[in-house]
Amino acid sequence: MNNPHPTIATRPAAVFDDSRRTAPHVTIRGLTKHYEDTAIYDRFDFDIPRGKLISVFGPNGCGKSTLINMIAGLVPMDDGEVLFDGRPLKQVKFGYVFQNYREALFPWLRAFDNIAYPLKLMGLAKGERDARVERLSTHLGVKIDLALYPYQLSGGQQQLVSIMRALIVEPEILFLDEPFSALDYEMTLFMRDQLQRVFMETATTMVLVSHDLEEAVYLSDYVLLLSRAPARVVEFVPYAAPRPRSDKTISEPDFVATKAHCLRLFQQEVQRG
Ligand SMILES: Nc1ncnc2c1ncn2[C@@H]1O[C@H](COP(=O)(O)OP(=O)(O)OP(=O)(O)O)[C@@H](O)[C@H]1O
Ligand SMILES: [Mg+2]
């Protein structure tokens, strides 16, 4: 399928052949990382499924951020290999949303220009950059005035701008490290649903670190439960409730059971330490 004007709406899983659809998106093999004498990862293997939203959950300091930072190339690994459909990271367009949106956005650029910034780095002309930001904004139904500067926006609005900046390059994978933890509760609920909407619209593979189990289950197709360091997979817990999920989802038996199951495993892991 060749589309001269790709939008995020036109890159559904349907463009992949069947083998690509079922093959893992990211393969992690033999991942090893030490900080001083402590092994954070020791020959860690894991497959990230394609087009799914997975949450990474585990005890404090077990290595959740380190994991996505190594996959995204922000932190070097000591050993091991991470491949995206068999390709190295440098051939991959990815997005990363940081926890601290206040430091992530450029304060001297309007929201619009913050979002367009990666396109500028890619060398796109201004007309094309503007068109793509407009298209993304319309597509997501964003109601923010993008002519404002970050300091004129609420925390949630700033984080939405960060997410849009990550999406503007049409990443094949999006990493998010506790993206809502600095927001108030109302804004967190709103942002979860925005993220879910983006996920449903784009089918982008997403890896979300969350310290909130309810959020992790609510948003995910799978919860990756990690042990204390050196981190291993305690369980990769599926949660298949239909989307869009809503307030009602949280009181459904399947949600309650999945969350309770994850909590049990988590507590066992915490007690083990
Ligand atoms: N640059 C560093 N130098 C030394 N130790 C580090 C460094 N970065 C992380 N660590 C240690 O590695 C371990 C894993 O850190 P990481 O930030 O990945 O954990 P996390 O699971 O994201 O924790 P949290 O739940 O607090 O966000 C922690 O014990 C941390 O102290
Ligand atoms: Mg962390």
Side-chain angles (χ1 to χ4, degrees):
M1 210 164 82
N2 197 3
N3 180 354
H5 301 293
T7 71
I8 56 174
T10 56
R11 49 184 310 277
V15 298
F16 300 130
D17 65 30
D18 273 354
S19 61
R20 281 198 63 196
R21 204 176 303 171
T22 51
H25 191 162
V26 185
T27 47
I28 301 168
R29 294 291 177 268
L31 184 65
T32 298
K33 177 74 181 175
H34 290 77
Y35 281 123
E36 280 106 49
D37 292 339
T38 310
I40 310 297
Y41 288 91
D42 182 19
R43 285 162 291 163
F44 180 86
D45 296 335
F46 187 67
D47 289 348
I48 298 177
R50 177 185 317 286
K52 302 288 183 198
L53 197 162
I54 76 162
S55 289
V56 185
F57 189 78
N60 274 342
C62 73
K64 302 180 289 295
S65 299
T66 304
L67 179 64
I68 67 166
N69 290 342
M70 286 191 294
I71 302 171
L74 305 179
V75 163
M77 349 181 217
D78 294 346
D79 201 6
E81 186 179 60
V82 177
L83 293 173
F84 301 72
D85 289 320
R87 296 162 299 151
L89 179 70
K90 60 177 183 294
Q91 294 176 21
V92 172
K93 270 195 287 184
F94 67 93
Y96 193 110
V97 177
F98 294 89
Q99 174 177 5
N100 194 344
Y101 54 84
R102 287 182 210 286
E103 287 168 16
L105 292 176
F106 301 121
W108 60 89
L109 293 181
R110 296 175 193 276
F112 192 99
D113 297 320
N114 263 285
I115 298 165
Y117 189 77
L119 301 179
K120 198 171 178 183
L121 292 184
M122 286 162 62
L124 266 63
K126 180 153 181 7
E128 174 66 4
R129 297 200 300 263
D130 290 357
R132 280 184 54 173
V133 176
E134 295 288 357
R135 216 151 51 209
L136 177 67
S137 175
T138 308
H139 186 70
L140 298 179
V142 169
K143 306 223 165 45
I144 306 170
D145 178 358
L146 297 180
L148 296 175
Y149 287 92
Y151 76 89
Q152 296 172 302
L153 302 173
S154 74
Q157 290 171 330
Q158 289 179 52
Q159 195 54 309
L160 186 54
V161 169
S162 299
I163 292 173
M164 289 174 73
R165 186 177 61 181
L167 288 171
I168 196 69
V169 299
E170 299 178 3
E172 64 177 75
I173 183 162
L174 181 63
F175 302 99
L176 308 105
D177 191 357
E178 303 202 18
F180 312 138
S181 62
L183 305 178
D184 66 35
Y185 191 59
E186 183 186 344
M187 193 48 86
T188 300
L189 295 183
F190 172 72
M191 288 302 297
R192 282 179 197 170
D193 288 333
Q194 290 277 326
L195 184 69
Q196 172 174 234
R197 186 158 164 218
V198 169
F199 175 69
M200 289 174 66
E201 301 253 339
T202 62
T204 305
T205 302
M206 294 193 185
V207 185
L208 168 81
V209 173
S210 176
H211 67 264
D212 179 329
L213 187 53
E214 183 164 289
E215 170 173 294
V217 176
Y218 179 78
L219 283 174
S220 305
D221 298 304
Y222 294 91
V223 179
L224 170 59
L225 279 166
L226 292 178
S227 71
R228 287 189 177 282
R232 58 185 170 74
V233 178
V234 173
E235 201 170 305
F236 193 45
V237 182
Y239 178 59
R243 298 181 189 274
R245 298 169 187 170
S246 67
D247 298 350
K248 286 200 202 78
T249 308
I250 291 170
S251 47
E252 281 163 6
D254 191 22
F255 179 88
V256 174
T258 305
K259 190 179 157 198
H261 177 68
C262 292
L263 184 60
R264 216 163 29 242
L265 292 171
F266 174 75
Q267 280 172 334
Q268 276 167 15
E269 201 42 51
V270 168
Q271 278 155 18
R272 207 177 61 83

